[in-house]
Amino acid sequence: MSAGQELPKPQTTYKESEIPKTRWTNYLLILLVANVGIWMASLFYLSKAKTTYVSEWSINIPGSGSNANINLPNIGQATSQDDSAYSGGTYDPRENYKAIASSEQVLKAAATAVNMSLKEFGKPRIKIVDNTTFMELEVKGSTPEEAEKKAIALSDALEARLTQLRREEISQQNGRLQAGIDDLRRKLKNSQERLSNYKAKSGLSSEEQLTNLATNIETLRKQRAELIAQEQQSKARFAELSSNLSLSSQDASDAFILQADTLFQNYLKNYNDAKTKLITLTARFLPDHPVVVTQKTELTSAEQALINRAEELLKRSFTMADVDRLNFGNNDTSGSKRTNFSEQLITANLDSQGFQAQVQALDREIGILENRLRILSQRQVVIEDLKRDVQISEAVFSSTIARIDLAKSNVSSSYPPIQILALPSLPKSPKGPTKEMVLIGTVVGSLFLSSGIITLGRRV
């Protein structure tokens, strides 16, 4: 082929007038198929889709903790503390509650309550609201009443499951505490028996016994001091009388013995009469006169009888000088006074001896009581130690029992209580698109699709 020679034009199979007609036919076919597909899908959805109603409710899980203290008088105290459910930085109890509410056990219980199978009941929708302690739950139903019943059943099943979990946790706690109760009870009983046995052996029944014993000792000491004062007073009186009478207490006593003896007084009278008669005769006659000699003999005989009687009464040697010293001469006034003073002398001496004897008796009694007080005080120390052991055992035992009682009344911190903020609702309208909305959406979609295909066909 030479240069400049034109190439032959290609031959076409169809006529140029037939090309637009074929293209629009294709676009119309596409438009028809697309619209048929949209309407078939819409009608299929409307025929198969079920009307769904949703019951909604919300719950709150408080995060505050609590403390409980029980004071046990003279024993101690028991403390129970529940930490906040949100105290852990990475722990959120709502996640646990979400898992529990979605668990098969809870769903089965809820389904059984409304006479449904687990598949028919379905699964709830649970949402945790951020930055709050709230949870939102939804349950679907074919009717408003069914949705509400399913929601109530699920709420009750969740609460029942949480109650069961709390009881199991508290039971485990009590089991750990109960394991030591028997041992604590045995220790308490042993300490009480040791205290009781020692009290029975020691002779010390109460602290008042020591107090009363100490009071008695102080009373006896006071009595002793008073008796010593009286004894000193009697000794002073005795010393004064003894000095005035020039007599000792024994001399005064001897004088009263002689004065009380009738025979001695007769001998004394005979002696005085003979002595007086001798003085009279001596004044009249010479010493060698027979009358005077006879009278002297009579006087000597009376004197000897008097001395013999005095020695017999006093059980000691006696002389006429002693007779003159001890003779009170009751026939005159001075003798009567001397007798009274002698009586006071003897009384003062006897009182002094009596006070002294009482002081000695009190000294012995005080010594016995002080020794008993010392022994009982030592035993009291042992009793106090045993009482302390009993108190410690009682405190441990009582606090353990109190902790068990508190654990029974406290809510588990692992499963805090829930508060129903909004009860399961009775839905007024179905959830999801209605038939009208589906038809409108189908029409709008068909129009948009048709306009798009037509516009595309014009531009090509």
Side-chain angles (χ1 to χ4, degrees):
M1 185 178 293
S2 61
Q5 187 178 359
E6 293 182 0
L7 293 173
K9 293 181 180 180
Q11 295 182 356
T12 59
T13 306
Y14 303 98
K15 296 180 178 181
E16 291 182 359
S17 61
E18 294 178 353
I19 294 176
K21 184 178 181 180
T22 303
R23 185 174 63 245
W24 279 107
T25 301
N26 294 334
Y27 278 107
L28 289 174
L29 181 61
I30 294 173
L31 178 63
L32 179 60
V33 171
N35 279 280
V36 170
I38 291 175
W39 280 97
M40 288 182 65
S42 176
L43 294 174
F44 180 79
Y45 173 80
L46 291 176
S47 64
K48 295 295 182 181
K50 296 181 180 179
T51 304
T52 303
Y53 295 87
V54 177
S55 177
E56 302 175 345
W57 76 101
S58 59
I59 63 176
N60 176 43
I61 304 177
S64 59
S66 64
N67 294 320
N69 295 322
I70 294 181
N71 291 321
L72 306 173
N74 302 321
I75 294 178
Q77 65 178 7
T79 302
S80 176
Q81 180 175 357
D82 291 333
D83 296 329
S84 171
Y86 301 90
S87 58
T90 59
Y91 172 71
D92 190 344
R94 296 177 298 175
E95 293 291 344
N96 291 350
Y97 280 24
K98 181 178 180 180
I100 294 173
S102 303
S103 65
E104 183 177 352
Q105 183 176 357
V106 173
L107 294 179
K108 278 185 177 180
T112 302
V114 292
N115 297 321
M116 289 184 177
S117 65
L118 183 60
K119 184 178 180 180
E120 291 174 341
F121 189 87
K123 288 190 176 182
R125 180 179 175 272
I126 303 175
K127 179 183 177 182
I128 296 176
V129 183
D130 296 335
N131 300 322
T132 67
T133 59
F134 301 159
M135 294 178 63
E136 295 179 348
L137 297 91
E138 296 180 356
V139 173
K140 296 179 180 179
S142 59
T143 63
E145 292 77 10
E146 180 182 292
E148 183 184 27
K149 289 181 180 179
K150 289 173 66 176
I152 294 174
L154 179 60
S155 178
D156 293 341
L158 174 60
E159 183 62 40
R161 179 56 178 163
L162 292 177
T163 301
Q164 180 184 2
L165 292 174
R166 293 185 191 113
R167 289 177 179 174
E168 290 176 357
E169 182 182 18
I170 293 173
S171 177
Q172 292 175 357
Q173 294 175 355
N174 291 347
R176 291 192 296 269
L177 294 174
Q178 190 67 37
I181 288 294
D182 294 337
D183 183 57
L184 293 175
R185 183 181 288 108
R186 184 172 58 256
K187 290 181 179 179
L188 175 59
K189 183 178 180 181
N190 291 338
S191 60
Q192 290 173 340
E193 288 180 351
R194 287 196 301 269
L195 175 61
S196 178
N197 293 336
Y198 188 82
K199 275 187 174 182
K201 294 179 181 179
S202 66
L204 183 61
S205 58
S206 65
E207 295 181 0
E208 293 182 356
Q209 190 173 352
L210 289 176
T211 303
N212 294 336
L213 187 57
T215 302
N216 291 338
I217 292 175
E218 291 301 320
T219 301
L220 293 179
R221 286 175 177 171
K222 183 178 180 180
Q223 294 178 2
R224 180 180 181 276
E226 293 174 354
L227 289 174
I228 290 176
Q230 293 176 2
E231 179 188 2
Q232 292 176 350
Q233 184 178 1
S234 297
K235 286 183 177 180
R237 178 61 177 166
F238 173 80
E240 181 181 1
L241 292 173
S242 179
S243 175
N244 293 335
L245 296 174
S246 298
L247 291 175
S248 65
S249 175
Q250 185 62 44
D251 291 340
S253 178
D254 292 345
F256 282 111
I257 292 174
L258 297 178
Q259 186 179 12
D261 186 72
T262 305
L263 184 57
F264 178 81
Q265 293 299 320
N266 290 333
Y267 289 154
L268 180 60
K269 182 177 181 303
N270 294 336
Y271 172 77
N272 290 330
D273 291 343
K275 186 176 180 180
T276 302
K277 189 175 181 179
L278 179 60
I279 293 172
T280 302
L281 292 175
T282 302
R284 295 175 57 191
F285 301 101
L286 293 174
D288 295 335
H289 191 280
V291 178
V292 175
V293 173
T294 301
Q295 191 61 38
K296 286 181 179 180
T297 302
E298 185 178 350
L299 179 61
T300 301
S301 177
E303 179 181 346
Q304 188 63 41
L306 183 63
I307 292 174
N308 290 339
R309 182 57 183 174
E311 291 178 349
E312 182 180 356
L313 294 173
L314 302 178
K315 308 301 181 182
R316 63 181 180 85
S317 59
F318 208 74
T319 63
M320 286 306 301
D322 295 329
V323 173
D324 295 336
R325 184 166 56 86
L326 299 179
N327 183 21
F328 293 158
N330 292 334
N331 296 327
D332 54 14
T333 304
S334 61
S336 177
K337 291 182 179 181
R338 184 178 176 86
T339 300
N340 291 333
F341 288 142
S342 297
E343 290 177 354
Q344 295 179 17
L345 177 66
I346 295 174
T347 301
N349 183 56
L350 292 176
D351 290 343
S352 177
Q353 293 177 356
F355 292 143
Q356 186 176 4
Q358 293 182 47
V359 170
Q360 293 174 353
L362 287 177
D363 288 339
R364 289 191 298 270
E365 187 173 358
I366 290 173
I368 294 173
L369 294 181
E370 286 179 341
N371 184 59
R372 178 172 176 76
L373 179 61
R374 182 171 58 256
I375 294 174
L376 293 181
S377 297
Q378 294 173 353
R379 294 175 180 175
Q380 179 65 21
V381 173
V382 179
I383 290 177
E384 290 298 328
D385 292 339
L386 294 176
K387 281 184 177 180
R388 193 174 299 108
D389 293 340
V390 172
Q391 289 177 348
I392 292 174
S393 299
E394 288 177 346
V396 175
F397 182 78
S398 300
S399 62
T400 304
I401 296 296
R403 286 175 59 191
I404 292 178
D405 292 338
L406 287 174
K408 292 179 180 178
S409 60
N410 288 341
V411 177
S412 169
S413 59
S414 301
Y415 304 99
I418 61 176
Q419 297 174 342
I420 305 296
L421 297 180
L423 295 174
S425 62
L426 178 63
K428 297 180 179 179
S429 60
K431 191 75 172 180
T434 62
K435 291 182 179 181
E436 292 77 7
M437 293 180 63
V438 172
L439 292 175
I440 292 172
T442 303
V443 172
V444 172
S446 179
L447 291 175
F448 275 113
L449 180 61
S450 298
S451 61
I453 293 174
I454 295 172
T455 303
L456 180 63
R458 288 180 177 179
R459 290 182 179 181
V460 176

